[in-house]
Every structure is written in structure tokens, then in C-alpha cells.
Amino acid sequence: MTDKILKKEEIEKFYLDLSRYFNFFAPTKENGNIVFKKITDPCEIIFDFLNSKVPPKEIVFPRMETLFTYKINGKEIEIEPVNNLNEKYLIFGIRPCDAYSFNLLENFFASGKFQDDIFIEKRKNTILIGMGCNTPRQTCFCTSLDHGGHPHRMDDVDIFLTDLGDKYLMRSISKMGKAIIDKLAWLSDAQRKDVAKAVELSKKAEELIKTKVDLENIAETLKPHFDHPLWKEISENCLGCGTCAFLCPTCTCFDVIDENDHYNNRGKRIRLWDTCQFCIYTTHASGHNPRKSKIERCRNRILHKFSYYPKNYGMLGCVGCGRCIQSCPVNNDLRVIIHKIKNLEKEKIEVKIIAT
Amino acid sequence: MQLSAYIPCLTTIKSIISENEANDIKTFELVFRKEEDQENFDYNPGQFAEISVIGKGECPIGIASSPTEKGSIKFTIKKMGTVTTAMHMAEVGDAIGVRGPLGNGWPIEELKGKNIIVIGGGFAFSTLRSLVEFIIHDDNRADYKEIIVIYGNRNCSEILYQEDLMRWKKREDVDVALTIDCAEKGWDGRVGFVAPIVESVDPSPKNSIAIMCGPPIMIKTTEAVLEKLHFQPGQILESLENRMKCGIGKCGRCNIGDKFVCVDGPVFSKAELNKMPREY
Amino acid sequence: MVILMGNIQEENKNIEHSMKEVAYNLLKNKEVDLIIGYAKGTIPLSSSPSFIINQKDVDNLIWDNLCHVNLARYVVPPITKIIDNENIPLKVGIVSKGCVGRSLIHLAKENQVNLENIKIIGISCNGIINRKRIEKELGEKEIIELSVMNSEIIAKGVDFVKTFFFDDYLNESCKKCKIKAPPMVSSQSNVIVGGSVESSSGEDDFSDLTEHESKTPEEKWQTIVELLSPCTRCYACREACPMCYCNLCFVDQNKPIWFGKTTDMSDIVSFHLVRAMHVAGRCVACGSCSSACPMGIDLTFITRKLEKIVKQRFDFTSGLSFDILPPMMTQKMNDKEDFMIGEH
């Protein structure tokens, strides 16, 4: 298999060829934020970006998604399943951490007795064209994750791109990726020096990740500490705003509501992103709430990612993208929280304040 | 394959029975509009379904009928939130969505050859009714040993399924002990809270399983009594409720530690619950 | 207008120093059990609200132009109590810039906090940096260090240094702020530290609204829609706002459902406008909502207009006095009612 070269001036051609078959999503700028959007003009693509504000999971698991539509006609009700599941998606420029999150999402939605066929169908129709990070952020810690997280990890995408400056080194990873590259006959072959440069960039990027988070056996470490005062400490300054969850590439919780169009006697059942950080999330109709204060809610978030997820699915529920760290309004830094967890045995936590 | 795990099957309300004087608990008998849906709805006692009032939303409700009662399914619903209130406004003939059966249900296989003590309180008796109806059915009765039903309510107007209870009482192979909190004129049953009644009935823990459903305070006090009567945690089964949306382990909110009430439960043994955090 | 009293960094250092001293003494003299203040953040452009109970930890307190969270948030619902391990309520000292102090006074008026149990450690704020704007303008360049020097904000990255003029890159609400330090309220012995500046007594300056006000209704609507379009409906604005303490927010109520929860533009706009109406005459323009917004929406753009309306119609500024009833808590015969249908 030969690696190919995609020159930056050829992006337009690349876009035109592929957008015939796919809804072409790429990083673009909207209101000052980088977002993955369906683009209609290759000029919209932003090539130099750190990562998007909202993870590209929103393409396959949108913040608002129709589960089915209905028509009400007196006592007659007609239910229509969603019919857009055959749409093909292509995500250009997805970062390795986010691409890995697609694995986690897929694994979660497909696991257990019931499959989320809406997600699975969408995921099946999605092609990932990953792009290595040459300049990871200060808050990135993908290399600390046990799945082999790396700013140039290629395993989770169909095609992997390395930014060599004026061009991309393009490598097909999956069968589908190979089929696409084969179709683009105009792509030139990569030279040995291009490949060497990509290797060098990959190494350099790894070195740039200074944040090391010790996640070894974290699930085991957490196990006996459900009632530890630690949870009081880490939830102390939490606002319960849920920003961490809304920007997390692995968070999947949702609310389900019926949205009616009363004028036309129809409506749709939709799901909306939700978060365990909200009080109302677990409140029973009776008013009883099993996770009544932010202490329990913060604990649930951490345990879900680092204890329940490994136990139920054999992988950590975190990809090390650092979005929660960057965006937390009170700077409740996940890295610090993990450090505290790992040092529970060594440093005694004495909690004197309980804010509930 | 079903097109989406989130799409309910349509049913028609065949009958509505008001279960109490306050008229805030009703039993709805539903018939599937499509025969194949009826066949696919293969359930065990103790399972639940997501009931949809289309346009209002969905909520999880325990199945009150027994799989032995063919042709329709029943749900006993207390008027509480948005969907249950909409349900109470529904009339015979209205379309209701049903998604299920969901959850694990009572372990009817494991219960075979055992004495069964069914302990219920208040309106949380529906899946217990399902279980008792299932066990006493001619096809199944021989599989199970002694059956004791202890059912408590605040007063006699709150007692659900009165006809069924009368029918069970008449049978020789079921012991039924009904109790109300305070004595009332014309009441010939027991008087007192469920826990002390269980103590006075004094069921033997030998080869027995206690199955409980009821308000938290009843569960707490009865657990203590059962312990006193030497029931092991593995011999006590409870059905939990947590807020749910999807019912299929995806929406996230009903988790208790690493377990989801909707798929790993709602039935858990006391032994399992002892290992789980108290997030319910 | 920010009046530069010499070097801002110097000024901050002085405030920080005297604040620490006051905090230390309050803890030492057992006047409070707990200080809620700001600690240094782990990343540039951040600060972290911090709960300090031991005198020795007072040194962790900081004061700079990135202390953006309104700390009054920590003493109103859903945070219903701050207690110790024995369940005994703690007496709290709150590091209060002007807007935090105003929030506390206003919340006391609304019977949400008891100022008997709260010590307002007033400090004179010289403005909060608009971190979202700086982040957006730098685009995809990561800031590694941010500092304030003289009248400039200096952002350093791996391969760049960029400076911003301090006065221009403050939160919009800070630019026009006249109440730098918490107002003195009669019933409370506030502790003011760090060179208390008298609130300038001049007229409120709403000139920043002139441009928007000159637009047609259609254009105004367009501006609001554009402003709010990135909203993901995470409600971080609501959770960060000390005035948003409702047990169940109107948007979460479902019996009946008043407002749509979708990310359709109409639902997004109605949520934000109704929330703004709910904080009208209560908002202290602290900018917490904007700085909490992960998408960087400047929500104070909406509340600012309401601030002006309340000032003009009711001559009221929230959180200034313990004696005047807020307009939404009272009714006077001469209240202007020209917003009502039929009057023009």
C-alpha cells in the first residue's frame, strides 16, 4: 500500500469529488468557535485548528435528534420512523481523540440487550478522515490513556492525514478508506521523505504533550471509595452547570420529549442532550432524588467515566481531549481530580466543609 | 428487526377501572392494534413497559397483568407526572403506545420449587399481582410451593385488585393476609403496618423467597423483620424505581453505580443491593 | 470607564495583600468559619473559586482580573447549606467585588441569604478581562501565559506574544461599571479592603446601547438571533447566575410545558429572553453568565438593555441599598406602565 499526497490546493477537487457521495463535514469557524459543520464551499474549511469547541460526536449524536414522528387524528395515531438514516456522512479533519470517542460511543450504543439502531445506522454510514495533531493543547492528555492514545493515532479512522505544511500525507486505514483513495486516482504518490517527515511530526507531537495523568488501575482505585470525603472536596466549587458534559466527546445521556406542532396535529419524539450534573435529571415525579446534591452528581460523573465504564465496557470513558478542563467556569480541573484520586492512599483528605 | 428501539407499538384502551376512592389510581387494559405486536410482547411478571401518550411523552410502568391472561395487557397507573396525568384523561378506544417488555422481571425460573412470600404495600402491587396470577395459573401452580400474600394499605378504599384478592382468598393453595393501617368499620382483615403483620404471620425462611414492593419506609421496616425471621439477603427480592426515559439502558439517568435499573433491574435481591450504592 | 490608578498589576497585588490579611484575621478571630475567595487556576485565563477554612491556606487566595465567577452563587439555592461535618452551619466570609456584594445585598432583600451569617469582604475591582473575546480573537493560537502590565493585557503562546488594550478587553458589563466595591449597607459591618473607591456618582452611561437602539425591530431581532445562535442549551448561564435560584426553572417545568427545550432558534431565543426578563431589576451585571457560556455568547448584551429600562422606569439599580424595595417586589401608583398594551 502506498501513501498518497493531497496538496492543499487540491482540497477543492477533493471536496468536489467526495461531496457527491457524502455530506461533507469539516472544521469551520462560526461565531468565533471552531465547529464541525456540513460545508458547501471548500473555502469554509479551517485547516489550522487545535480542536473544535463541541466535539464532532454531534454529527452522529446531535444535540437534538428525532426518534420518530407522529400524526394525531382523533383516536387514530400514525407513527413514522425517521427516514434519514441512509444519509452518508464524511467527517474531514477529525482529531484522533474524537475519532477514538466514536469507538466508545459505538460500543456503548450497541452494547446490551437493546441496540440504539438510530446511532448505529448513522455511525455505519459515516467515514472518518482523521488528522494528526501537530500542536496539541496544554490540556491534552491522550497519551495517558491505556488504549494507546496518541496525537497521531490512526486506528480509529478510515483515512489518516498528516499535515506536512503545504500538503497532507494521506494513508488509508480501513477498507473503506482504501476504496475512497483508489477512487481518487489523481492523488500523487508520497515520497519516502514525506513519510519520514510524518513520522518525525508524530514523534514531536507526542513530546509536546506535557500533561501526564496517571490512570493506571483507576477503576480499581475508585472501587472502595464511593463514600470518600474526596467527593465533597471536588464538588465544593462546582456550579453544576454541566459544561463539562455538554462538551465531552463520550457523554451520551439524553432526555426524551414530545415536541408538538399543534396547528397541524403532528409532532415528533426527540432526544436532547442531558447531563447528570443537573438536579432534575434524576428527580422522580414524587420529588424524591437519589442524587440530591452536587456531591453525588459530581461523583457520578467521575465514577461513570473511570469506574462504571471500564467495568461495563472494558475501556475508560475518557479520551483525553481536555475540553472539560478548558471550559469549566470554575476551573475544576479533571487532571487535578484524577491526581487526588490516585493519591487517596498517600494523602489523607480531611473535609471540613460540606456545601450541598 | 424492529426499526427503532424507541418506537412504541400502538394499542387501544379496552377498559379503564378506577381502583380507589380518590380516583387517582386506574387500571388500563390495552389491546395491541397489530396481532404480531401482541405475539412479540412476550413478558414475565415483574417486567415493565414504556407507556406513551403520544404528544405528551413516555413513562415506565410495571405490567399488572400476567402472561397467562392472554389477549390484552394491563397497567395500573397512579396520577403523578405529565404522562400519567394524560393517561388518566384518556378514554376507552384511545390509542396508547407501548414499548417493551423491559427489565428483568421476577426470576420465575429460580422461584420454582420454593415457598413464596409476596409482600406489598399501597399501589406498588401491580407486578406482584402479575406474579401471583402467574403462579396460581393451572399451568404453573405445581411448579411452586406454598404462597403467602401479605398486602397492606392505608385504608380499605386504597386496596387494589379487590376482586382478584377475593378470588385468591377463596383458594386453598394461597394464604392472603390483608391489612390496613387503622381499624375501620366493617373491616374483617388485619390492622397494622406491613412489617409487624409479616412478623405475626411468621413465614419460615426455609426454602423461601420473600418478594417485596412498596413505599421505602415499608421496605426498610420489613427488611428488618425478615432479617429477624432469619431470611438471608439472597432470599429477599425487591423491585426498584428510578427516573427513566429510554428504558433500554441508553439515556443514562436510572443508574445505581454501574447498574442500570431499566436493564439490570428493576428486580434486585437484597444481597445485590447490599453491594450497590444507595442511589435509589 | 476604568480609571487607571497607576499600574493595574500593582493595584491587584495591593488588593490581594490586604484581602489576605483581612481573611486571615477573620478566620483567626473566629468571625467567620470559612472564606470563599478565588485561587489561581490551572490554565491561563482561569481562576478557581476556593473554600478556605484554615488560616494557613489564606495564602492561596488571589485577586486578579480573571476572578470572574460571582461567588454569591455559592450561598443561594440549589446550594442550600454550607455546613461542617457536625452539620453545623458555617459563617461565611465572601470575597466580594462590587457586583458580588450587590448580589448578596439584593439576595438578602429577596430573603435568599441572611447577611447576619455572611461577611462581605469587599474589594475594589478594576474590571474582569473578557477572556472569551481574547480566546476568540486569538483563534487557534493557544495562550500559555496571560498577564496584565500597565494598561495592557499580554497573551503569550509558544510562538507569539500579543497585547490587548486593557480598557477595551474588559467584559462589556465591566466597562460601564461604576460600582467597583460593594456598597456599604447599614445593617452590616462590611470589611472593605484594598483602597476602597467611592462609586462615581455621575449619571449611568448607557451609550453602549445607542447603536442597537437605533436599529429597526427586524434588525434588533436579527442581532439577537445571531448572538444566540451558537447556544447549545446547556444552561451554564443559568447555573452560574446567583439570581437564578428557582427550585425548578420555568424551562424545566413540565406540568404544563411552558417552553420548548429544543435547539430550534425560536426555543433558544425564548429561553434567553424570558430568563433575562426574570433577572430584570435583579441582575447586577456581573457577567458570570457570559463567562460561563462554553460557546462564548455575551449574554450581558440582553441584560444590559433591561438594566437601562429598570433604571429609567423605576430609577433602580439592583443591590445598592438595603432600604429600597426592588421594583419587582413592590408596586407604586406612579410606576411607569407604558409597556402595557394600549398606552403609547
Side-chain angles (χ1 to χ4, degrees), chain A residues 35-37 54-63 102 273:
Chain A
V35 282
F36 279 90
K37 277 257 151 147
V54 179
K57 89 171 174 196
E58 67 170 334
I59 299 162
V60 279
F61 179 60
R63 55 194 92 171
F102 277 51
W273 288 356

Side-chain angles (χ1 to χ4, degrees), chain C residues 220-334:
Chain C
K220 282 181 186 163
W221 185 252
Q222 199 47 44
T223 313
I224 300 244
V225 166
E226 269 165 34
L227 173 80
L228 296 174
S229 65
C231 176
T232 60
R233 304 212 68 170
C234 71
Y235 306 113
C237 46
R238 172 185 80 186
E239 304 299 327
C241 177
M243 297 302 160
C244 275
Y245 55 72
C246 288
N247 269 338
L248 191 61
C249 177
F250 65 89
V251 79
D252 287 331
Q253 290 181 13
N254 59 2
K255 282 195 286 181
I257 293 169
W258 298 104
F259 288 92
K261 296 186 85 167
T262 74
T263 47
D264 291 340
M265 219 43 233
S266 57
D267 283 343
I268 290 177
V269 173
S270 45
F271 166 69
H272 286 289
L273 293 188
V274 173
R275 196 187 86 84
M277 290 303 283
H278 280 191
V279 298
R282 309 169 61 229
C283 171
V284 294
C286 66
S288 239
C289 47
S290 300
S291 72
C293 176
M295 305 310 286
I297 302 171
D298 187 9
L299 295 154
T300 58
F301 181 77
I302 303 171
T303 48
R304 178 82 179 136
K305 173 73 183 168
L306 289 162
E307 206 182 325
K308 181 179 172 183
I309 295 172
V310 171
K311 181 75 194 164
Q312 287 178 339
R313 297 222 169 119
F314 306 101
D315 190 27
F316 181 79
T317 307
S318 55
L320 281 191
S321 152
F322 205 62
D323 306 316
I324 305 167
L325 264 181
M328 299 303 155
M329 291 173 76
T330 181
Q331 193 260 336
K332 287 183 198 142
M333 289 315 283
N334 61 351

Side-chain angles (χ1 to χ4, degrees), chain A residues 93-243:
Chain A
I94 187 170
R95 294 297 188 195
C97 53
D98 290 336
Y100 176 65
S101 84
F102 277 51
N103 277 357
L104 295 185
L105 299 175
E106 199 178 348
N107 191 49
F108 166 72
F109 280 119
S111 70
K113 195 172 156 201
F114 299 95
Q115 277 84 52
D116 189 305
D117 34 18
I118 295 181
F119 178 89
I120 293 167
E121 208 54 34
K122 277 195 174 170
R123 173 68 189 97
K124 221 162 61 189
N125 289 326
T126 305
I127 294 290
L128 302 181
I129 301 190
M131 197 185 285
C133 297
N134 289 346
T135 52
R137 276 179 181 270
Q138 305 291 307
T139 45
C140 289
F141 60 97
C142 60
T143 49
S144 296
L145 285 136
D146 59 357
H147 70 269
H150 190 282
H152 281 245
R153 176 181 158 94
M154 305 179 186
D155 310 36
D156 316 303
V157 296
D158 296 290
I159 294 172
F160 190 81
L161 304 177
T162 308
D163 190 339
L164 302 177
D166 55 344
K167 59 193 173 189
Y168 292 106
L169 179 80
M170 194 178 222
R171 178 171 292 178
S172 67
I173 307 295
S174 72
K175 257 190 202 155
M176 190 61 193
K178 187 173 183 307
I180 289 173
I181 289 186
D182 287 348
K183 277 242 171 184
L184 305 171
W186 49 268
L187 288 168
S188 49
D189 287 345
Q191 307 292 309
R192 190 169 292 181
K193 65 173 195 299
D194 297 325
V195 179
K197 188 163 180 207
V199 172
E200 190 193 316
L201 282 169
S202 161
K203 237 165 119 184
K204 207 175 131 206
E206 186 184 339
E207 283 162 14
L208 281 173
I209 296 192
K210 296 281 191 288
T211 298
K212 292 280 175 286
V213 180
D214 179 11
L215 288 163
E216 209 186 324
N217 289 327
I218 184 145
E220 282 303 307
T221 315
L222 281 167
K223 223 176 195 172
H225 296 308
F226 189 83
D227 291 314
H228 199 278
L230 164 85
W231 307 115
K232 289 175 185 152
E233 190 182 86
I234 66 160
S235 62
E236 203 171 76
N237 69 355
C238 176
L239 293 173
C241 74
T243 296

Side-chain angles (χ1 to χ4, degrees), chain C residues 75-93:
Chain C
V75 288
V76 285
I79 297 159
T80 45
K81 48 186 179 184
I82 297 181
I83 48 173
D84 69 3
N85 283 322
E86 267 80 55
N87 224 347
I88 296 165
L90 297 175
K91 216 168 162 198
V92 184

Side-chain angles (χ1 to χ4, degrees), chain C residues 43-283:
Chain C
I43 53 173
L45 290 163
S46 76
S47 63
S48 188
S50 182
F51 288 46
I52 286 171
I53 202 158
N54 293 324
Q55 291 160 43
K56 66 173 169 46
D57 296 330
V58 162
D59 241 6
N60 295 339
L61 287 174
I62 60 149
W63 172 254
D64 62 22
N65 307 95
L66 290 162
C67 296
H68 59 89
V69 176
N70 188 330
L71 300 180
R73 173 74 269 190
Y74 292 106
V75 288
V76 285
I79 297 159
T80 45
K81 48 186 179 184
I82 297 181
I83 48 173
D84 69 3
N85 283 322
E86 267 80 55
N87 224 347
I88 296 165
L90 297 175
K91 216 168 162 198
V92 184
I94 299 178
V95 173
S96 309
K97 43 184 177 167
C99 47
V100 176
R102 283 173 61 199
S103 304
L104 290 168
I105 294 165
H106 189 89
L107 288 163
K109 243 4 291 177
E110 292 186 2
N111 289 327
Q112 293 303 317
V113 299
N114 183 357
L115 286 185
E116 304 279 302
N117 298 326
I118 290 173
K119 207 74 170 163
I120 298 175
I121 306 172
I123 54 176
S124 178
C125 168
N126 41 25
I128 302 300
I129 292 172
N130 191 337
R131 42 192 205 123
K132 304 278 166 164
R133 183 170 164 209
I134 290 182
E135 267 174 2
K136 279 186 179 179
E137 284 188 19
L138 277 173
E140 293 307 295
K141 285 186 183 311
E142 195 182 17
I143 302 167
I144 291 176
E145 200 191 305
L146 190 104
S147 54
V148 177
M149 198 77 93
N150 299 322
S151 58
E152 279 179 334
I153 302 163
I154 304 156
K156 280 189 194 139
V158 182
D159 52 1
F160 70 92
V161 178
K162 194 157 183 265
T163 56
F164 301 88
F165 189 51
F166 184 82
D167 284 5
D168 281 349
Y169 282 82
L170 289 179
N171 280 339
E172 293 305 314
S173 47
C174 298
K175 285 184 189 171
K176 300 280 177 190
C177 173
K178 293 195 321 182
I179 307 143
K180 309 290 177 199
M184 300 291 274
V185 283
S186 47
S187 69
Q188 177 68 21
S189 55
N190 288 346
V191 195
I192 306 279
V193 305
S196 114
V197 186
E198 274 300 306
S199 308
S200 52
S201 51
E203 278 290 296
D204 281 313
D205 175 10
F206 290 105
S207 59
D208 50 319
L209 293 169
T210 318
E211 193 207 332
H212 184 69
E213 283 166 347
S214 68
K215 291 179 177 171
T216 64
E218 289 74 26
E219 286 166 346
K220 282 181 186 163
W221 185 252
Q222 199 47 44
T223 313
I224 300 244
V225 166
E226 269 165 34
L227 173 80
L228 296 174
S229 65
C231 176
T232 60
R233 304 212 68 170
C234 71
Y235 306 113
C237 46
R238 172 185 80 186
E239 304 299 327
C241 177
M243 297 302 160
C244 275
Y245 55 72
C246 288
N247 269 338
L248 191 61
C249 177
F250 65 89
V251 79
D252 287 331
Q253 290 181 13
N254 59 2
K255 282 195 286 181
I257 293 169
W258 298 104
F259 288 92
K261 296 186 85 167
T262 74
T263 47
D264 291 340
M265 219 43 233
S266 57
D267 283 343
I268 290 177
V269 173
S270 45
F271 166 69
H272 286 289
L273 293 188
V274 173
R275 196 187 86 84
M277 290 303 283
H278 280 191
V279 298
R282 309 169 61 229
C283 171

Side-chain angles (χ1 to χ4, degrees), chain B residues 120-133:
Chain B
F123 79 96
F125 196 69
S126 52
T127 62
L128 297 178
R129 178 203 177 268
S130 172
L131 178 69
V132 175
E133 284 293 347

Side-chain angles (χ1 to χ4, degrees), chain A residues 68 70 75 77 81 108 111 114 116-117 226 254-255 258 260 269 280-281 283-284 288 290-291 300 311-312, chain B residues 3-6 10 52 54-58 94 242-243 245 250-253 255 257-258 277 279-280:
Chain A
F68 60 83
Y70 50 82
K75 291 196 189 304
I77 284 173
F108 166 72
S111 70
F114 299 95
D116 189 305
D117 34 18
F226 189 83
F254 58 84
D255 191 6
D258 284 6
N260 294 308
R269 182 159 293 168
I280 192 177
Y281 177 74
T283 308
H284 295 194
H288 167 70
R291 290 197 278 270
N300 187 65
K311 165 124 195 288
N312 290 339
Chain B
L3 213 49
S4 159
Y6 299 101
L10 288 178
S52 279
I54 304 288
K56 294 288 177 189
E58 212 174 29
D94 282 1
N242 250 5
R243 185 167 189 184
K245 285 280 177 176
K250 307 296 177 206
C251 81
R253 72 202 64 228
N255 78 303
D258 54 28
E279 284 192 326
Y280 49 91

